[in-house]
Amino acid sequence: MKAEITPQEYEAFKTFLQDACGILLGDNKQYLVKSRLRRIMEENKLSTLGDLLDRVKRTGRSSLKEVVIDAMTTNETLWFRDNHPFRILQEKLLPEFGDRKSAQSLRIWSAACSTGQEPYSVAMIIEEFRRQRPGRLRDVKITATDISKSVLEVARRGEYEMIAIGRGLSPERQKQFFTPAMNGSWQIRPQIKSMVEFRELNLLERYMLGKFDIVMCRNVLIYFSAELKKDILTRIHATLNPGGYLILGASESLNGLPHLYEMVQCHPGIIYRKK
């Protein structure tokens, strides 16, 4: 990017990004835009952010639009992020669903799953539960979604370099659930990989995913406006089975939807049950 971003260009890009995927950029994130879009602009021989927006808006440039959205929405993640949700899953939710008479099946949605660490971490917890409680939760399906095609490709491969493996994954779980692959990377084992289905989804669009017992929508709502956040949480509510649970990120909370969810204190951690 050869030129500095003008206030007008930045406002126009903020509007474009919010309309395209709901993300609301702060007023002083020009440095983030420049760093994430620099390579794209160099490859397309564009000098200014205004030139990029003009190119994206032209008919037939949907592929460039997708690349720009990918660059702005892709975030680094790690295994068992924040820890508490996985402890709650292990100690409260899996035993609860496993003890229900009809609960041989369990459906979980991992929203904004990035490169797959969250849904695969959930699958590992479920596999450990099954080993401790044989015969329980035999039919488990995890649906993992993200808006980014590029991160979903990584997630579907289930192969990670050592630097990614080291971010939150214990040596014991690495040994149990991964096998060495080419060039020093690690491949997730088939019994974990087979639990997860990855699908492309924009959280602003209609959900055609079915019904779930647990929805994990963590560390993504912070990027949306209050109005869009409320809309997304209302539509997630419609995907939950009766008595199903919503798990949000550590810095996220429900506001203004007491008729849809009830708070469940887990000491530590909070989750929300569908009313």
Side-chain angles (χ1 to χ4, degrees):
M1 190 178 292
K2 297 178 182 177
E4 289 299 315
I5 299 174
T6 67
Q8 294 79 11
E9 287 175 332
Y10 187 63
E11 285 302 315
F13 186 76
K14 282 173 61 179
T15 299
F16 156 76
L17 193 63
Q18 186 169 11
D19 290 344
C21 60
I23 288 181
L24 185 61
L25 279 175
D27 291 331
N28 299 298
K29 298 291 185 179
Q30 289 89 338
Y31 69 93
L32 179 67
V33 174
K34 289 186 70 171
S35 65
R36 293 203 170 190
L37 299 183
R38 180 176 288 109
R39 180 184 59 80
I40 295 170
M41 295 189 65
E42 289 174 353
E43 290 175 353
N44 287 273
K45 297 180 172 57
L46 299 169
S47 298
T48 69
L49 187 60
D51 292 340
L52 177 63
L53 282 174
D54 289 341
R55 183 78 65 87
V56 166
K57 291 175 183 177
R58 290 179 193 171
T59 303
R61 296 298 300 180
S62 61
S63 60
L64 180 58
K65 179 180 177 180
E66 289 176 0
V67 170
V68 171
I69 292 172
D70 262 11
M72 294 305 302
T73 58
T74 300
N75 294 297
E76 288 192 17
T77 186
L78 60 154
W79 307 95
F80 300 92
R81 183 175 181 177
D82 299 328
N83 192 45
H84 291 328
F86 300 97
R87 184 191 57 77
I88 292 168
L89 187 68
Q90 186 176 40
E91 297 178 5
K92 173 180 171 56
L93 299 186
L94 294 185
E96 178 179 323
F97 284 105
D99 287 341
R100 293 183 183 180
K101 291 181 180 179
S102 60
Q104 291 306 315
S105 66
L106 182 67
R107 297 292 179 265
I108 299 175
W109 174 17
S110 169
C113 68
S114 190
T115 45
Q117 279 87 334
E118 177 176 275
Y120 285 140
S121 294
V122 171
M124 292 178 211
I125 291 287
I126 291 169
E127 180 64 18
E128 289 170 350
F129 176 82
R130 284 169 162 175
R131 292 175 184 177
Q132 295 169 356
R133 309 270 300 268
R136 300 300 177 101
L137 300 178
R138 289 180 295 197
D139 176 20
V140 175
K141 187 68 176 180
I142 302 166
T143 300
T145 66
D146 202 278
I147 193 174
S148 169
K149 284 186 171 70
S150 61
V151 299
L152 289 172
E153 288 173 3
V154 174
R156 288 190 183 104
R157 285 198 300 271
E159 185 175 322
Y160 300 90
E161 294 180 358
M162 192 60 216
I163 191 169
I165 288 288
R167 300 192 66 199
L169 190 70
S170 68
E172 293 77 18
R173 282 180 169 144
Q174 179 183 345
K175 184 177 180 180
Q176 283 187 68
F177 300 120
F178 289 82
T179 57
M182 298 290 289
N183 303 319
S185 60
W186 290 79
Q187 177 70 54
I188 200 154
R189 290 184 184 273
Q191 74 265 31
I192 301 301
K193 193 174 183 181
S194 64
M195 284 191 222
V196 187
E197 176 193 19
F198 292 97
R199 297 176 61 175
E200 184 180 349
L201 178 76
N202 185 334
L203 286 173
L204 301 185
E205 297 173 355
R206 188 180 178 188
Y207 307 161
M208 301 288 288
L209 301 172
K211 291 285 189 176
F212 298 96
D213 302 298
I214 300 168
V215 174
M216 303 182 76
C217 185
R218 305 193 307 133
N219 308 304
V220 63
L221 293 177
I222 54 175
Y223 299 108
F224 295 106
S225 67
E227 182 181 353
L228 286 178
K229 175 182 173 180
K230 186 174 181 179
D231 178 61
I232 291 168
L233 289 170
T234 300
R235 284 189 283 152
I236 286 176
H237 178 270
T239 72
L240 281 167
N241 286 321
Y245 291 94
L246 168 66
I247 302 177
L248 298 179
S251 61
E252 298 166 324
S253 62
L254 278 181
N255 292 310
L257 296 172
H259 59 297
L260 297 183
Y261 299 93
E262 62 176 317
M263 183 185 297
V264 179
Q265 294 278 357
C266 296
H267 308 290
I270 296 170
I271 59 176
Y272 301 90
R273 183 164 46 221
K274 178 177 181 173
K275 284 188 174 180

